[in-house]
Amino acid sequence: MTEIRKDKPWLFRTYAGHSTAKASNALYRGNLAKGQTGLSVAFDLPTQTGYDSDHELARGEVGKVGVPIGHLGDMRALFDQIPLDQMNTSMTINATAPWLLALYIAVAEEQGADIAALQGTVQNDIIKEYLSRGTYICPPAPSLRMITDIAAYTRQHLPKWNPMNVCSYHLQEAGATPEQELAFALATATAVLDDLKSKVAPEDFPEMVGRISFFVNAGIRFVTEMCKMRAFVELWDEITRDRYGVADAKYRRFRYGVQVNSLGLTEQQPENNVYRILLEMLAVTLSKNARARAVQLPAWNEALGLPRPWDQQWSLRMQQILAYETDLLEYGDLFDGNPVVTAKVEALKSGARAELAQIDSMGGAVEAIGYMKSRLVEANADRIGRIEGGETTVVGVNRWQAGEPSPLTSGPETIMTADEDAEADQIARLSDWRAARDDAAVAAALTALRKAAASGENIMPASIAAAKAGATTGEWGDMVRAAFGQYRAPTGVAASPSNRTEGLDEIRAAVNTVSDRLGRRLKFLVGKPGLDGHSNGAEQIAARARDCGMDITYDGIRLTPAEIVKAAREQEAHVIGLSILSGSHVPLAEELMQLMRDAKLTHIPVVVGGIIPEDDAAHLRKIGVARVYTPKDFELNRIMFDIVALVDRQAVAAE
């Protein structure tokens, strides 16, 4: 009997990190013991945006969406007892990618590892940060330069390392159509490769093309998503062959990892998310010719809060069952020659080529950031409108809402809560680190770093030297900001109303009525305090309020509560809306409400939206927040009516 040879499975990863480096290390070692075969590190927002844990903007954000890494000591603790030369580590880091890779290299050297043997990826895709995620620091041009600095450095010193992970994941989270996801990601990759060509020898360039990897999203329309992946494979082969002249097919291979869609996870009937995650995983594993090299799955309850280790284990077991219990890996590609699949792939490629041509005509991805951002905001508005109108069915959300209470969400500790003492603990250890280091050595290393940034030399050697000297994440970020300046990306929300007015007649009339009573147009200030860059919700609220006839102000991400209160006073806002998805809603809302009392602005109602557990929502209402919205509140018009009612009560009271 002929033995069936099975393909090797993809890397099993779990995107994880929280509270402290020590706590995250324990989580990693536990997951590896359960059969995980690669690490995927989530960093907290201060680390992602180049701030120390004790910075004003870091308040409430430390250890919330990932692990805080402030210096070499934290990186040591994160990988304690994990031999880095035997690990494949993916680090979801972008603006501070040179710094985190420098710390990783320094720890590997301390472990006695051969640096050339290190395997893994830094995401290092800053363009999608301007479009969807918001953890950028600098303007696009110097950011692009630092991406290719890493690529050039790894070519020489870390030949097995992937220096960039072109990330279309967040593009889909921001509402991208499959065609937009294909085009915007491929445009980003070509922008990087065009810049990289001047930094490596021509004979080394094809190999560097082969080291570019991708990180994609897979949504619930799994046939379309599978065809999208086949389109990615074919378009990348075409671009690398025709645009860059890469002759060796192995360097033209589309290599990607995937996290399936968190956007579609629902707070309502969250147990349904298990089926969604499974179907989305099939989209990136069924087709052998377009199969992911690494898969990480969200947990079923991520729309409710932080998943527990058990929840992450459940998602890991889903991968293991597919890979080891089914016969999927025993066969060749299941879809080659299928006319339906071929037609869909060709249609997706055609749509993507049209978008790519438009971006190229504008000068490439960097120059087209504003265009791409506006396209994403419009596409997301269309997506939400289809759900609101019932054209798109979401089970348990806009159809079949009635159901039995889930035993999985009943009782105590059904989700993890961030350690309330983690921030103070991290700040104390940061203070101890600063006190124990050689200040003169740190100052010299930082001076050299700023000089390297300003002069155009590769940023990596100076970053590694600063890491070893004991510099902190915030100090590295300060040198980069000093050399390149800071940047505010376009919001994608145009000032003038769109033509999307269907179904808005009643709310527009209500806005007009209350505006007449106020004697001026209802003023709605939308703010994103803290470091949370997930701006999709804020953008859609602002855009819908604008289309309903409100006078809106939305200046984008990364504002302090003091800046929001100052803007509310100066603009005489009638209502303030806060969007916070990082879990820092309690401390940020508490600070803002106190500032509102100090400024005697308590007559202005404040509404807050985010992933907010009910206990936290009750606390927010107790401190004076007028309304709290969570992902279950998907009907934007209902929120608009709430805002009008809040302002109308204030107007009547004033009369």
Side-chain angles (χ1 to χ4, degrees):
M1 184 175 177
T2 304
E3 182 182 356
I4 296 174
R5 292 192 62 187
K6 296 180 69 170
D7 291 337
K8 286 180 63 177
W10 51 90
L11 281 170
F12 303 156
R13 284 185 170 137
T14 302
Y15 183 55
H18 67 89
S19 302
T20 65
K22 183 178 180 181
S24 297
N25 172 263
L27 179 62
Y28 296 163
R29 288 192 285 117
N31 284 343
L32 290 169
K34 293 170 186 171
Q36 188 173 298
T37 53
L39 293 177
S40 181
V41 182
F43 297 99
D44 75 352
L45 290 173
T47 304
Q48 292 185 52
T49 50
Y51 292 104
D52 283 332
S53 298
D54 56 359
H55 191 277
E56 177 189 13
L57 279 169
R59 184 170 185 270
E61 307 280 16
V62 177
K64 283 284 170 50
V65 302
V67 58
I69 299 296
H71 45 74
L72 185 58
D74 283 342
M75 198 62 124
R76 252 184 231 135
L78 186 66
F79 293 110
D80 181 41
Q81 302 179 59
I82 299 175
L84 296 186
D85 55 357
Q86 299 174 33
M87 191 52 51
N88 191 305
T89 304
S90 171
M91 292 192 284
T92 303
I93 199 70
N94 296 286
T96 53
W99 176 243
L100 271 298
L101 181 57
L103 291 170
Y104 190 86
I105 290 169
V107 169
E109 288 183 347
E110 288 183 349
Q111 291 184 355
D114 175 7
I115 300 306
L118 296 181
Q119 296 185 68
T121 304
V122 276
Q123 191 166 95
N124 200 24
D125 176 0
I126 203 67
I127 292 178
K128 66 93 174 150
E129 297 299 322
Y130 302 128
L131 298 179
S132 56
R133 182 60 187 82
T135 64
Y136 54 80
I137 297 175
C138 305
S143 295
L144 182 63
R145 168 229 161 149
M146 287 193 286
I147 291 174
T148 53
D149 276 0
I150 290 177
Y153 185 86
T154 57
R155 191 213 64 77
Q156 186 175 358
H157 300 284
L158 282 74
K160 297 182 179 181
W161 193 270
N162 296 325
M164 188 203 184
N165 209 221
V166 181
C167 181
S168 70
Y169 174 84
H170 291 101
L171 301 180
Q172 188 177 126
E173 295 283 291
T177 66
E179 294 85 351
Q180 289 169 347
E181 188 179 344
L182 286 162
F184 295 179
L186 293 169
T188 296
T190 57
V192 169
L193 290 176
D194 288 350
D195 193 68
L196 182 60
K197 285 183 77 172
S198 65
K199 295 187 177 183
V200 298
E203 62 269 22
D204 294 326
F205 186 71
E207 183 183 352
M208 291 309 300
V209 172
R211 294 243 62 86
I212 300 295
S213 59
F214 290 74
F215 186 72
V216 308
N217 203 328
I220 192 63
R221 293 172 58 82
F222 77 99
V223 175
T224 296
E225 295 293 316
M226 184 272 292
C227 291
K228 179 189 77 182
M229 297 321 306
R230 291 174 69 96
F232 255 134
V233 169
E234 294 177 21
L235 285 168
W236 185 239
D237 184 75
E238 178 183 300
I239 288 169
T240 52
R241 183 190 66 231
D242 298 347
R243 182 171 179 138
Y244 298 112
V246 178
D248 192 332
K250 73 180 180 182
Y251 294 143
R252 301 199 306 266
R253 189 180 303 143
F254 184 82
R255 300 176 310 112
Y256 77 99
V258 64
Q259 158 106 3
V260 308
N261 193 356
S262 294
L263 178 69
L265 301 182
T266 64
E267 183 180 356
Q268 304 94 317
Q269 300 179 19
E271 61 277 5
N272 296 341
N273 294 329
V274 175
Y275 307 126
R276 295 183 177 109
I277 293 166
L278 172 60
L279 290 169
E280 290 162 355
M281 179 174 59
L282 292 177
V284 295
T285 54
L286 282 179
S287 176
K288 179 178 179 178
N289 293 343
R291 184 170 292 151
R293 290 170 62 92
V295 176
Q296 58 193 47
L297 304 180
W300 67 281
N301 56 353
E302 283 191 15
L304 305 177
L306 282 174
R308 301 157 297 183
W310 182 87
D311 304 313
Q312 293 187 332
Q313 174 185 299
W314 199 9
S315 287
L316 174 62
R317 295 293 182 251
M318 196 182 298
Q319 293 201 58
Q320 291 168 326
I321 289 167
L322 179 63
Y324 293 112
E325 294 191 23
T326 78
D327 58 355
L328 175 66
L329 298 180
E330 297 172 12
Y331 295 94
D333 196 283
L334 305 177
F335 303 101
D336 280 353
N338 183 305
V340 175
V341 170
T342 299
K344 181 63 176 177
V345 170
E346 289 303 316
L348 290 170
K349 287 163 60 179
S350 177
R353 287 193 189 102
E355 281 282 10
L356 280 167
Q358 175 65 32
I359 293 167
D360 276 342
S361 73
M362 301 173 76
V366 169
E367 288 76 11
I369 284 170
Y371 163 77
M372 291 190 287
K373 179 66 175 178
S374 64
R375 291 279 284 162
L376 289 175
V377 171
E378 288 300 306
N380 206 15
D382 288 340
R383 180 190 69 83
I384 291 171
R386 289 192 298 273
I387 294 172
E388 284 184 290
E391 182 182 346
T392 296
T393 294
V394 183
V395 174
V397 174
N398 62 358
R399 292 189 72 182
W400 306 297
Q401 295 98 327
E404 300 299 322
S406 171
L408 294 175
T409 59
S410 61
E413 299 181 356
T414 53
I415 59 170
M416 260 180 68
T417 56
D419 183 354
E420 292 183 1
D421 299 325
E423 183 166 333
D425 175 63
Q426 178 69 14
I427 291 172
R429 283 184 292 102
L430 175 63
S431 179
D432 291 343
W433 177 267
R434 290 186 185 125
R437 66 189 184 173
D438 183 337
D439 289 340
V442 172
L446 291 173
T447 298
L449 173 64
R450 182 170 178 177
K451 181 180 177 183
S455 69
E457 66 183 85
N458 193 297
I459 200 78
M460 283 303 300
S463 295
I464 295 170
K468 292 178 177 178
T472 67
T473 296
E475 290 166 341
W476 184 91
D478 286 344
M479 293 303 99
V480 168
R481 281 182 276 266
F484 300 135
Q486 297 195 70
Y487 180 74
R488 290 197 72 79
T491 66
V493 181
S496 55
S498 70
N499 58 6
R500 194 181 295 101
T501 57
E502 185 178 352
L504 299 184
D505 290 346
E506 187 179 355
I507 181 63
R508 286 169 68 91
V511 170
N512 288 336
T513 297
V514 75
S515 296
D516 289 343
R517 182 173 287 138
L518 294 166
R520 60 187 175 95
R521 188 64 28 192
L522 190 162
K523 181 69 176 181
F524 182 26
L525 175 66
V526 180
K528 281 196 66 63
L531 296 175
D532 171 34
H534 283 106
S535 58
N536 305 333
E539 290 157 4
Q540 294 306 314
I541 289 289
R544 181 62 60 86
R546 173 204 64 195
D547 292 345
C548 290
M550 298 183 197
D551 176 10
I552 62 126
T553 293
Y554 173 58
D555 291 329
I557 64 172
R558 218 176 295 172
L559 299 171
T560 65
E563 288 172 330
I564 294 171
V565 172
K566 181 174 182 286
R569 182 177 61 248
E570 292 175 349
Q571 299 182 30
E572 298 182 320
H574 295 115
V575 64
I576 298 172
L578 305 182
S579 172
I580 310 168
L581 281 87
S582 62
S584 58
H585 42 267
V586 170
L588 289 174
E590 285 177 340
E591 182 179 350
L592 183 131
M593 297 306 292
Q594 182 58 54
L595 291 171
M596 293 284 283
R597 287 190 288 273
D598 294 344
K600 296 182 171 50
L601 295 177
T602 52
H603 60 282
I604 302 176
V606 175
V607 300
V608 179
I611 300 174
I612 303 173
E614 181 49 41
D615 286 349
D616 287 357
H619 176 72
L620 295 182
R621 288 188 286 266
K622 185 176 180 180
I623 65 172
V625 171
R627 294 284 187 279
V628 176
Y629 300 102
T630 69
K632 72 176 182 296
D633 300 297
F634 69 95
E635 295 178 273
L636 299 191
N637 281 0
R638 183 175 297 173
I639 296 174
M640 296 299 113
F641 276 115
D642 284 352
I643 290 168
V644 168
L646 288 170
V647 176
D648 200 24
R649 281 201 291 274
Q650 294 289 335
V652 170
E655 290 176 351

